[in-house]
Amino acid sequence: MTPKERVCTTLDHREPDRVPIDLGATMETTVHVDEYALLKRHLGIATEREVGVKHLTAQFGVVDREVQEAIGADVRGTEPITPEQPEIRRRDEYLVLEDEFGIGWQRPVEGGLYFDMYHHPLAAASIEDMRAYPFPDPTDPRRFAGLEGTVERLSEGGRYPVVFDNSLGNGIFQMCNQLMGYDRFLMALALREPRAFWLLDRILELKLALWDEVLGRVGERIDVVKELDDMGTQLDLFISPEMYRSDVKPRLARLVAAIKARAPNVRMMLHSCGAVRKVVGDYIDAGVEILNPVQYTATGMDSSELKAEFGADLTFWGGGIETQKTLPSGSVSEVIAETRKQLDILMPGGGFVFAPVHTIQWGVPVENLVAMWDTVREHGVYH
């Protein structure tokens, strides 16, 4: 099978020749830039070329084709270009920047691995303030410079499936939290303040405009579109299932419907971290076909139960091994054992693309990474 045939077969909930592998097709299936440099050296791939950054604040690396080929990755991906890269300045012991939404991020100069939020520009904003706020333009032509050629290059004449990853901010719900601050937005939502709903609708409008532009350009040439909205901590949802269904789900459903109307051929992926079991059925109702990252160590996210309850409707893209303990701290034998266990749970009947639970962070022994991918290629074969 070609990589595209392999991925499309599993997305159809049929068993291909082996489990497809993703490394680097999305922001959440890539590698921290510092870890990635170590991986390249370990694989004997030239490191003279500077490691590209896929997501500046999180420091996710751009995975080169040579590395994807070396580990047997089956998927390629791209995303819009940020029209203007933010200026990184030093303030005391931190490096600081403002993203295109005006959110402030900071990273310790010494020992910092990524940027954390420290400023929420709409923290005290009224609806009038929000209406006057300079939100980024989702249709800025600079976002799509060379897009058609990039997709053609990545697909290699249809050999590889292509994921288009939305990098205009974050999810509908999550973007509101980041703009106002989690405490303020969640309180405003709980108190049913009109400004909370205005902001949800404004973010939805931006996303609708972005996807209309993207799909108008390359909708027939991409295979998966990815949206994101982290709805869970590791213990529970940020809001009740009832609030999710009344306030967030209808907006996600409208977004998915617009995407599918513009490009009926694409499959809809949603990245949602944490303990989201209570609303997985709602994701399906809203039109989601692929769930990432399948954080199976979070409350209620048992892989066997998820596969049994939702496996007929969802492809699980991730959940191959957890990235907090086993992958960074386990022995090679423990990595192999957990990878085999997750394969045995998630691969039957198709509907599974292998990736770890979220991005591979700095500090993972490279031997563990190689053992993980070797195990997928050896144990993830269908008979």
Side-chain angles (χ1 to χ4, degrees), residues 96-149:
V96 298
L97 64 86
E98 282 190 3
D99 66 22
E100 62 176 328
F101 280 85
I103 298 166
W105 300 80
Q106 62 184 14
R107 170 185 175 179
V109 173
E110 298 295 330
L113 293 174
Y114 40 76
F115 291 80
D116 293 305
M117 285 179 290
Y118 75 94
H119 171 64
H120 309 280
L122 299 182
S126 65
I127 288 181
E128 290 70 25
D129 295 330
M130 291 179 181
R131 288 195 178 108
Y133 190 73
F135 289 94
D137 178 5
T139 62
D140 187 326
R142 291 176 294 175
R143 294 187 190 279
F144 316 105
L147 176 58
E148 293 84 349

Side-chain angles (χ1 to χ4, degrees), residues 5-152:
E5 290 169 341
R6 185 172 296 124
V7 171
C8 289
T9 298
T10 208
L11 292 177
D12 285 337
H13 296 272
R14 296 181 292 114
E15 295 184 349
D17 55 345
R18 68 162 173 82
V19 171
I21 297 171
D22 175 18
L23 175 66
T26 79
M27 289 184 289
E28 294 83 10
T29 58
T30 183
V31 188
H32 188 277
V33 289
D34 295 339
E35 180 76 12
Y36 182 60
L38 294 179
L39 175 63
K40 287 186 72 174
R41 283 198 290 272
H42 183 88
L43 294 174
I45 294 172
T47 58
E48 289 80 9
R49 187 168 65 242
E50 184 178 354
V51 175
V53 179
K54 197 176 185 74
H55 191 285
L56 181 58
T57 55
Q59 292 290 283
F60 297 158
V62 176
V63 178
D64 302 297
R65 187 181 72 175
E66 297 94 330
V67 174
Q68 291 175 320
E69 290 176 345
I71 66 112
D74 296 282
V75 195
R76 305 293 185 258
T78 189
E79 62 280 317
I81 300 166
T82 302
E84 297 179 7
Q85 287 298 317
E87 177 189 1
I88 300 177
R89 298 173 286 108
R90 179 160 182 167
R91 190 195 64 204
D92 300 325
E93 70 272 26
Y94 290 98
L95 300 174
V96 298
L97 64 86
E98 282 190 3
D99 66 22
E100 62 176 328
F101 280 85
I103 298 166
W105 300 80
Q106 62 184 14
R107 170 185 175 179
V109 173
E110 298 295 330
L113 293 174
Y114 40 76
F115 291 80
D116 293 305
M117 285 179 290
Y118 75 94
H119 171 64
H120 309 280
L122 299 182
S126 65
I127 288 181
E128 290 70 25
D129 295 330
M130 291 179 181
R131 288 195 178 108
Y133 190 73
F135 289 94
D137 178 5
T139 62
D140 187 326
R142 291 176 294 175
R143 294 187 190 279
F144 316 105
L147 176 58
E148 293 84 349
T150 296
V151 171
E152 185 63 29

Side-chain angles (χ1 to χ4, degrees), residues 193-350:
E193 292 183 14
R195 62 181 182 146
F197 298 99
W198 188 95
L199 190 55
L200 283 166
D201 287 335
R202 182 70 177 111
I203 301 303
L204 173 60
E205 289 173 2
L206 297 178
K207 287 182 173 290
L208 288 168
L210 176 79
W211 282 115
D212 188 63
E213 186 71 28
V214 169
L215 298 174
R217 292 171 178 263
V218 294
E220 294 182 354
R221 286 182 276 175
I222 58 177
D223 302 276
V224 176
V225 298
K226 198 211 86 183
E227 264 294 339
L228 64 167
D229 222 355
D230 287 342
M231 294 306 305
T233 69
Q234 295 191 139
L235 299 177
D236 209 338
L237 297 169
F238 281 107
I239 56 178
S240 69
E242 292 75 22
M243 285 183 70
Y244 177 79
R245 289 167 191 142
S246 64
D247 302 340
V248 182
K249 178 181 176 179
R251 292 171 171 87
L252 174 63
R254 182 180 166 194
L255 179 61
V256 175
I259 289 170
K260 297 290 279 189
R262 198 74 162 89
N265 56 292
V266 302
R267 309 296 183 98
M268 187 72 214
M269 181 194 300
L270 180 68
H271 167 84
S272 194
C273 283
V276 297
R277 170 74 172 273
K278 296 174 183 176
V279 294
V280 171
D282 296 290
Y283 292 161
I284 296 169
D285 288 344
V288 172
E289 297 161 292
I290 304 166
L291 180 65
N292 167 271
V294 198
Q295 193 173 349
Y296 61 86
T297 55
T299 302
M301 295 291 288
D302 178 85
S303 302
S304 298
E305 295 176 2
L306 290 172
K307 181 74 172 181
E309 186 172 355
F310 304 112
D313 299 302
L314 279 180
T315 291
F316 298 107
W317 195 298
I321 187 170
E322 65 93 22
T323 48
Q324 292 178 306
K325 294 181 181 178
T326 307
L327 192 59
S329 303
S331 64
V332 166
S333 61
E334 289 171 332
V335 167
I336 292 171
E338 187 162 336
T339 303
R340 287 173 65 100
K341 177 183 176 183
Q342 291 304 111
L343 287 166
D344 289 341
I345 292 170
L346 293 171
M347 66 184 281

Side-chain angles (χ1 to χ4, degrees), residues 144-166:
F144 316 105
L147 176 58
E148 293 84 349
T150 296
V151 171
E152 185 63 29
R153 173 179 57 80
L154 291 171
S155 71
E156 296 188 18
R159 176 172 172 77
Y160 289 95
V162 178
V163 179
F164 199 96
D165 197 350
N166 169 25

